[in-house]
Structures are given as structure tokens and as C-alpha cells.
Amino acid sequence: MNKIKLTIIIPVYNVELYLQECLDSLLYSMHKNKEVEVILIDDGSTDKSYTICQKYEAKYSFIKLIKQKNSGQSVARNNAINKAKGTWISFIDSDDIVINNYISILFNIINSPITDDADMIMFKYKTFKENVPKYNQSQNQFNKDKLKKIDKNKAMYLLTALNYWGNYLWNKIYKKEVLLNNLLPAGKKYEDIGTLYKYVFNSKQVYIYDDVLYYYREREGSTVNTRSLKMAMDELEARQNQLAFFKVHNYLKAYKRARHYLIVSCLGVISEFPGSKLYYLSLKYIKDYNVNIRNYGFKTWVKVWIVKFNPKVWLFIKKLKRKLQ
């Protein structure tokens, strides 16, 4: 019997419109590899997502389906991590897609002698909306020259670099024990921001694969685009904890970039939840923040100074902008 080397975890919740496209992109070359398992974990879907999962489980022996009552994505991922048989683990969101040769390239990466000491490997992503992106055929071929060792300062900084890298679980692969030592915070949104820096810190060595293997779908109904006050609270808490960690451990470049994104998040809170406790906390962060036009750009500089001058002016501008859209 083949030993499972890689587990791919896909949490599923009410994605009937996108799930088949996601799974088909992954399964393109799956039949060629018997060292992979796919765990679909349905988080209490109320549409046809679970039925779709059942059909794929019945057809493919390497797919395992787990159903849980609705408990959130972090709990779903944790349950799957605990059941995973693979030495390595990767994640895919169930409305996204991967390049056709995703599995093959991941195996080339983790089997390469270059990554013998790796605990975590990051790769690039791109975003798309409705139309499935076309990608270069060269992306379907493993290239060892794109595999590079990086130090933890660089890895922490890349977590704060939104273009191509970023604070996302799904464009990375991990040794299972790294995840088991820091399971995701149950019931929290933005769990990747609150956890990924711990994975980097606890890894013996981090590598990057300098190419796009993953496509993230931007859509209106996704978790990050349906925002509640609790979600905003979870985001600020995660960003605060990450920022404090960077400061304590002297990851200065990452700290500088992360502080900028905390302020951007605070601007969002002020626009979305005026009058709330989180609104006043966000105002305090911004008033204590010395924005540098050279480092953070003209737009952020203007926004921060408008809020510092009078937050009601900022709210009026946002309200007017929404009316004009």
C-alpha cells in the first residue's frame, strides 16, 4: 500500500456554482499519483455542495468526504488536519482553481533534494473573477531554478506582500507537524493572518517556488466580501497580534508593511461601522499613526489625514462615493 505523502484539504460551504470547477482543475492529473489524498470537509452546506462532494467521493478512491455541523472554516480545516495522513498538507478554497499540473509540481517541489530541510514552501497566486484565467504552458512544467531558500525575515515580509504572496493558507504547503503545533483559532475569521507568522517562525526552513500555481476567485458572496462587525473585529485582532509578534521578534520590514495594512483595515472599519466600539478603537490607531507619504503613497496619506482632521468628513466622502457608484 502506498504511503500518503500529500494531503489536500478543501473546506466546502455553499459553493455549488463553483465546486465542480475547483475539483476538476485539481483532478486533471490526479489519477497519475497514488501518494495523494483529498479531504473534502463540508461545513453544513445548505445548497447542493454536499451532494456534489458525494459524487466525487464515489468516483475517486483518494477523495475522503467529511461532514460537520456548521462551525466555520477554521474548525473545518482543523478537523481535516487532524485526520490527514499526508506528511505534507496544502489547502484549496472550494471556489478557487489550480493550474492543471498542480499536483505534479507540488511533488517535484517536496521530492527535490533542494527542499530536504523545508517545513514550509510558498508559491505565487493570481486573482480572477468570472472568466477562468489562461496561463502559460510553462507554468505546467516544474523548474528547479524557481525553487529558492529564503530566510525568515524575507518569509515574514512576503506574508505582508499582497501581490503574488500574502497572508493566505492556500498558496503554501506545510509539513503536517507545523500545522498540528498551531491549529487555527476556532470561530475566527482571518485565521490565516492570525496563524501564518507562527508557521513561518516554527519552520526549520522556508522556501519559495517563484511561479503561479493557484488562482483566487474574487466574488461578491465570498467570506472576505460579506463583512460583519465580528469579522472586522477578528481582522483587527489578528493584525494587532501579528504586528506585536513582528515587533517583539524584530522583523522590521514585515512590521512596517503590516502596520500599514492595519491602518488600511481601520479606515475600512470607520467607513463600515460608525459609532461602534471598534470605530473608536480604529480612530485611536489612526490618530496615533504617523503616515509617511513616501513609504505609503499619496492615497493612504490623504485618507489618514482626512480622518485625523475630521472623521465625519471621511464618512461623508465614502457615503457620496457609494451613491455615485
Side-chain angles (χ1 to χ4, degrees), residues 185 207 210:
Y207 284 75
D210 197 8

Side-chain angles (χ1 to χ4, degrees), residues 13-239:
Y13 181 71
N14 287 357
V15 283
E16 63 180 1
L17 296 179
Y18 311 103
L19 181 56
Q20 184 171 332
E21 190 174 48
C22 169
L23 295 176
D24 287 347
S25 75
L26 175 65
L27 297 173
Y28 181 82
S29 61
M30 192 65 123
H31 64 279
K32 301 173 185 176
N33 199 312
K34 296 180 180 178
E35 297 176 295
V36 184
E37 67 172 355
V38 176
I39 297 180
L40 304 177
I41 181 153
D42 184 87
D43 188 33
S45 292
T46 57
D47 65 359
K48 296 177 183 176
S49 295
Y50 184 69
T51 302
I52 294 169
C53 289
Q54 286 179 307
K55 290 177 181 177
Y56 277 85
E57 183 190 36
K59 188 173 180 181
Y60 299 99
S61 61
F62 47 78
I63 291 181
K64 296 174 177 62
L65 175 58
I66 301 169
K67 187 173 179 65
Q68 66 175 39
K69 67 177 183 179
N70 182 245
S71 306
Q73 189 166 241
S74 54
V75 172
R77 283 169 167 162
N78 286 342
N79 287 340
I81 290 167
N82 283 318
K83 293 180 185 301
K85 295 178 181 176
T87 307
W88 289 87
I89 292 177
S90 71
F91 298 94
I92 298 175
D93 279 2
S94 51
D95 52 353
D96 297 338
I97 62 172
V98 292
I99 68 164
N100 286 345
N101 228 14
Y102 176 82
I103 297 296
S104 175
I105 292 177
L106 289 195
F107 266 84
N108 276 299
I109 289 171
I110 62 181
N111 288 332
S112 170
I114 299 171
T115 57
D116 275 349
D117 58 346
D119 278 337
M120 180 174 171
I121 300 148
M122 309 163 71
F123 48 85
K124 288 181 175 179
Y125 77 97
K126 282 186 178 179
T127 61
F128 75 104
K129 291 189 178 178
E130 291 308 313
N131 296 323
V132 175
K134 293 180 179 179
Y135 44 84
N136 298 327
Q137 287 304 309
S138 62
Q139 286 175 245
N140 271 333
Q141 304 300 319
F142 172 71
N143 184 341
K144 65 180 177 60
D145 294 331
K146 295 178 181 178
L147 198 53
K148 301 166 187 174
K149 182 183 287 192
I150 60 172
D151 63 30
K152 289 187 180 179
N153 276 296
K154 177 75 176 287
M156 294 294 187
Y157 178 73
L158 289 182
L159 293 184
T160 67
L162 295 191
N163 293 332
Y164 295 121
W165 307 103
N167 272 299
Y168 309 111
L169 285 168
W170 34 253
N171 65 328
K172 299 162 183 73
I173 47 179
Y174 319 82
K175 282 279 183 68
K176 181 181 177 180
E177 59 263 29
V178 172
L179 303 183
L180 286 173
N181 288 335
N182 281 287
L183 289 173
L184 299 162
K188 297 285 188 181
K189 303 294 185 184
Y190 297 93
E191 64 270 29
D192 4 29
I193 295 173
T195 313
L196 273 164
Y197 63 88
K198 299 174 186 176
Y199 295 162
V200 171
F201 189 72
N202 291 325
S203 293
K204 293 191 294 292
Q205 186 60 56
V206 180
Y207 284 75
I208 60 168
Y209 185 73
D210 197 8
D211 208 347
V212 174
L213 303 183
Y214 192 100
Y215 285 91
Y216 169 78
R217 187 191 303 267
E218 294 180 329
R219 63 182 181 92
E220 289 299 317
S222 65
T223 302
V224 295
N225 288 318
T226 51
R227 192 169 154 95
S228 64
L229 179 61
K230 183 187 181 306
M231 283 182 67
M233 290 174 66
D234 287 349
E235 182 188 4
L236 287 197
E237 181 184 348
R239 291 197 182 280

